[in-house]
Amino acid sequence: MDTDTTAELQKSLGIDIDPETFRLALTHRSFAFEAGGIPTNERLEFLGDSVLGLVATESLYYDNPDLAEGSLAKMRSAVVNTRALASIARRHGIGPHILLGKGEELTGGRDKDSILADTVEALIGATFVARGREEAFAFVHRLIDSMLSDAVNLGAGMDYKTTLQEAAADLDLGAVSYEIVSSGPDHAMVFTATALLGANGWGTGDGSSKKNAEAAAAEVAVKAIRTIYPDYTR
């Protein structure tokens, strides 16, 4: 693992972890197996998942005193799901740093939502182990606070596609549809979706599946609507 690029990644994430723990957090089981059974990041992932869930739950509970348990649970799910965590990993360029086995490398594992999401959780766990509870919690807040705010502002369906449907109907912007194109080899195909309201494109997003690409496009479209119609609060 290149020391300079590792330092750049830690700087991007705003953390300072010793090299051994940081490397462990990036060690996928496929790499560990091919390297003769060295430790994997799965224990750190297990810990990070719990830390992430606690921070998200605590923030939603105290910041939304009037919301019922069901609504809080849906908001938490919108933030700690695999697609959301994978988007965090892509935003910070984590994928190129993951230690993968040759098989996973050849099948596009470096951009798989599940591997990216698991690595984010492992990095949270590594921060907890290396730097303690306070810094780990602060790290999680930096990663998810903006998404928590978005979750609070989503419509009743608690996802951007449902919210886009509601906004398009409320504002008479036209029927929602998606145009999808794909690129790349079969084992690492990338889908690009454009969210259309009537005949007009309002947002474009990429994903490793059509569903994820549509969700990403819907998110861009919803944010565009909120910019153009600031008084729309549904």
Coordinates of all heavy atoms in Angstrom, one line a residue, residues 21-59:
T21 N -3.5 -0.6 11.5 CA -5.0 -0.7 11.7 C -5.7 -0.2 10.4 O -6.7 -0.8 10.0 CB -5.4 0.1 12.9 OG1 -4.7 -0.3 14.0 CG2 -6.9 0.0 13.1
F22 N -5.1 0.8 9.8 CA -5.7 1.3 8.5 C -5.6 0.3 7.4 O -6.6 0.1 6.7 CB -4.9 2.6 8.1 CG -5.6 3.4 7.0 CD1 -6.9 4.0 7.3 CD2 -5.0 3.6 5.8 CE1 -7.5 4.7 6.3 CE2 -5.6 4.3 4.8 CZ -6.9 4.9 5.0
R23 N -4.5 -0.4 7.3 CA -4.4 -1.4 6.3 C -5.4 -2.6 6.6 O -6.0 -3.1 5.6 CB -3.0 -2.0 6.3 CG -2.7 -3.1 5.3 CD -1.3 -3.7 5.3 NE -1.1 -4.8 4.4 CZ -0.7 -4.7 3.2 NH1 -0.5 -3.5 2.7 NH2 -0.6 -5.7 2.4
L24 N -5.5 -2.9 7.8 CA -6.5 -4.0 8.2 C -7.9 -3.6 7.7 O -8.7 -4.4 7.2 CB -6.4 -4.3 9.7 CG -7.4 -5.3 10.2 CD1 -7.1 -6.7 9.5 CD2 -7.3 -5.5 11.7
A25 N -8.3 -2.3 7.9 CA -9.6 -1.8 7.6 C -9.9 -1.9 6.1 O -11.0 -2.0 5.7 CB -9.8 -0.4 8.1
L26 N -8.8 -1.9 5.3 CA -8.9 -2.0 3.8 C -8.7 -3.4 3.3 O -8.8 -3.6 2.1 CB -7.9 -1.0 3.2 CG -8.1 0.5 3.5 CD1 -6.9 1.3 3.0 CD2 -9.4 1.0 2.9
T27 N -8.5 -4.4 4.1 CA -8.2 -5.7 3.7 C -9.5 -6.6 3.5 O -10.1 -7.0 4.5 CB -7.3 -6.4 4.7 OG1 -6.1 -5.6 4.8 CG2 -6.9 -7.8 4.2
H28 N -9.9 -6.7 2.3 CA -11.1 -7.6 2.0 C -10.7 -9.0 2.1 O -9.6 -9.5 2.0 CB -11.5 -7.3 0.5 CG -12.8 -8.0 0.2 ND1 -12.9 -9.1 -0.6 CD2 -14.1 -7.6 0.5 CE1 -14.1 -9.5 -0.8 NE2 -14.9 -8.6 -0.1
R29 N -11.7 -9.9 2.4 CA -11.4 -11.3 2.7 C -10.8 -12.0 1.5 O -10.1 -13.0 1.6 CB -12.7 -12.0 3.1 CG -13.8 -12.0 2.1 CD -15.0 -12.8 2.7 NE -16.2 -12.8 1.8 CZ -17.1 -11.9 1.8 NH1 -17.1 -10.9 2.7 NH2 -18.1 -11.9 1.0
S30 N -11.1 -11.5 0.2 CA -10.6 -12.2 -0.9 C -9.1 -12.0 -1.0 O -8.3 -12.9 -1.4 CB -11.2 -11.6 -2.2 OG -11.0 -10.2 -2.3
F31 N -8.6 -10.8 -0.6 CA -7.1 -10.6 -0.5 C -6.5 -11.4 0.6 O -5.4 -12.0 0.4 CB -6.9 -9.1 -0.3 CG -5.4 -8.7 -0.2 CD1 -4.7 -8.3 -1.4 CD2 -4.7 -8.7 1.0 CE1 -3.4 -8.0 -1.3 CE2 -3.4 -8.4 1.0 CZ -2.7 -8.0 -0.1
A32 N -7.2 -11.4 1.7 CA -6.7 -12.2 2.9 C -6.5 -13.6 2.6 O -5.5 -14.3 2.9 CB -7.6 -12.0 4.1
F33 N -7.5 -14.2 1.9 CA -7.4 -15.6 1.5 C -6.3 -15.9 0.6 O -5.5 -16.9 0.8 CB -8.8 -16.0 0.8 CG -8.8 -17.4 0.3 CD1 -9.0 -18.5 1.1 CD2 -8.6 -17.7 -1.1 CE1 -9.0 -19.8 0.7 CE2 -8.6 -19.0 -1.5 CZ -8.8 -20.0 -0.7
E34 N -6.1 -15.0 -0.4 CA -5.0 -15.3 -1.4 C -3.6 -15.0 -0.8 O -2.6 -15.5 -1.2 CB -5.2 -14.4 -2.6 CG -6.4 -14.7 -3.5 CD -6.5 -13.9 -4.7 OE1 -5.6 -13.1 -5.0 OE2 -7.6 -14.0 -5.4
A35 N -3.6 -14.2 0.3 CA -2.3 -14.0 1.0 C -2.0 -15.0 2.1 O -1.1 -14.8 2.9 CB -2.4 -12.6 1.6
G36 N -2.8 -16.1 2.1 CA -2.5 -17.1 3.1 C -3.3 -17.1 4.3 O -2.9 -17.7 5.4
G37 N -4.4 -16.4 4.4 CA -5.3 -16.4 5.5 C -4.9 -15.4 6.6 O -5.1 -15.6 7.8
I38 N -4.4 -14.2 6.1 CA -4.2 -13.1 7.0 C -5.5 -12.5 7.5 O -6.6 -12.8 6.9 CB -3.3 -12.0 6.4 CG1 -4.1 -11.4 5.2 CG2 -2.0 -12.6 5.9 CD1 -3.3 -10.2 4.6
P39 N -5.5 -11.7 8.6 CA -6.7 -11.2 9.1 C -7.4 -10.3 8.1 O -6.8 -9.6 7.2 CB -6.3 -10.3 10.3 CG -5.0 -11.0 10.8 CD -4.3 -11.4 9.5
T40 N -8.8 -10.3 8.2 CA -9.6 -9.4 7.3 C -10.2 -8.3 8.0 O -10.0 -8.1 9.2 CB -10.7 -10.3 6.7 OG1 -11.8 -10.4 7.7 CG2 -10.3 -11.6 6.2
N41 N -10.9 -7.4 7.3 CA -11.5 -6.2 7.9 C -12.9 -6.5 8.5 O -13.6 -5.6 8.9 CB -11.6 -5.1 6.9 CG -12.5 -5.4 5.7 OD1 -13.1 -6.5 5.6 ND2 -12.6 -4.5 4.8
E42 N -13.3 -7.8 8.5 CA -14.7 -8.1 8.9 C -15.0 -7.8 10.4 O -16.1 -7.4 10.7 CB -15.0 -9.6 8.5 CG -15.0 -9.8 7.0 CD -15.3 -11.2 6.6 OE1 -15.2 -12.1 7.5 OE2 -15.6 -11.4 5.4
R43 N -14.0 -8.0 11.3 CA -14.3 -7.7 12.7 C -14.4 -6.2 12.8 O -15.3 -5.7 13.6 CB -13.1 -8.2 13.6 CG -13.2 -9.7 13.9 CD -12.0 -10.2 14.6 NE -11.8 -9.4 15.8 CZ -12.3 -9.7 17.0 NH1 -13.2 -10.6 17.1 NH2 -12.0 -8.9 18.1
L44 N -13.6 -5.4 12.2 CA -13.7 -4.0 12.2 C -15.0 -3.5 11.6 O -15.7 -2.6 12.1 CB -12.6 -3.3 11.5 CG -11.2 -3.4 12.2 CD1 -10.1 -2.8 11.3 CD2 -11.2 -2.7 13.5
E45 N -15.4 -4.2 10.5 CA -16.7 -3.9 9.9 C -17.9 -4.1 10.9 O -18.8 -3.3 11.0 CB -16.9 -4.8 8.7 CG -18.3 -4.6 8.0 CD -18.5 -5.8 7.1 OE1 -17.6 -6.5 6.6 OE2 -19.7 -6.1 6.8
F46 N -17.8 -5.2 11.6 CA -18.8 -5.5 12.6 C -18.9 -4.4 13.7 O -20.0 -4.0 14.0 CB -18.5 -6.9 13.3 CG -19.3 -7.2 14.5 CD1 -20.6 -7.7 14.4 CD2 -18.8 -7.0 15.8 CE1 -21.3 -8.0 15.5 CE2 -19.5 -7.4 16.9 CZ -20.8 -7.8 16.7
L47 N -17.8 -4.0 14.1 CA -17.8 -2.9 15.1 C -18.3 -1.6 14.5 O -19.1 -0.9 15.1 CB -16.3 -2.7 15.7 CG -16.1 -1.6 16.6 CD1 -16.9 -1.7 17.9 CD2 -14.6 -1.5 17.0
G48 N -17.8 -1.3 13.3 CA -18.2 0.0 12.7 C -19.7 0.1 12.4 O -20.3 1.1 12.5
D49 N -20.3 -1.1 12.0 CA -21.7 -1.1 11.8 C -22.5 -0.7 13.0 O -23.4 0.1 13.0 CB -22.1 -2.5 11.4 CG -23.6 -2.7 11.2 OD1 -24.2 -2.1 10.3 OD2 -24.2 -3.4 12.0
S50 N -22.0 -1.1 14.2 CA -22.7 -0.8 15.4 C -22.5 0.7 15.8 O -23.4 1.4 16.2 CB -22.2 -1.7 16.6 OG -22.6 -3.0 16.4
V51 N -21.3 1.2 15.6 CA -21.0 2.6 15.9 C -21.8 3.5 14.9 O -22.4 4.5 15.4 CB -19.5 2.9 15.7 CG1 -19.2 4.4 15.9 CG2 -18.7 2.1 16.7
L52 N -21.9 3.2 13.7 CA -22.6 3.9 12.7 C -24.1 3.9 13.1 O -24.8 5.0 13.1 CB -22.5 3.3 11.3 CG -23.4 3.8 10.2 CD1 -23.1 5.3 9.9 CD2 -23.2 2.9 8.9
G53 N -24.6 2.8 13.4 CA -26.1 2.7 13.8 C -26.4 3.5 15.0 O -27.4 4.2 15.1
L54 N -25.5 3.5 16.0 CA -25.7 4.2 17.2 C -25.7 5.7 17.0 O -26.6 6.5 17.4 CB -24.7 3.9 18.3 CG -24.7 4.7 19.6 CD1 -26.1 4.5 20.2 CD2 -23.6 4.2 20.5
V55 N -24.7 6.2 16.2 CA -24.6 7.7 15.9 C -25.8 8.1 15.1 O -26.4 9.2 15.4 CB -23.3 8.0 15.1 CG1 -23.3 9.4 14.7 CG2 -22.1 7.7 16.0
A56 N -26.2 7.4 14.1 CA -27.4 7.7 13.3 C -28.7 7.8 14.2 O -29.5 8.7 14.1 CB -27.6 6.8 12.1
T57 N -28.8 6.7 15.0 CA -30.0 6.6 15.9 C -30.1 7.8 16.9 O -31.1 8.4 17.1 CB -30.0 5.3 16.6 OG1 -30.0 4.2 15.7 CG2 -31.2 5.2 17.5
E58 N -28.9 8.0 17.5 CA -28.9 9.1 18.5 C -29.2 10.5 17.9 O -30.0 11.2 18.5 CB -27.5 9.1 19.2 CG -27.3 10.1 20.3 CD -25.9 10.1 20.8 OE1 -24.9 10.2 20.1 OE2 -25.8 9.9 22.1
S59 N -28.6 10.7 16.7 CA -28.9 12.0 16.1 C -30.3 12.2 15.7 O -30.9 13.2 16.0 CB -28.0 12.1 14.8 OG -26.6 12.2 15.2

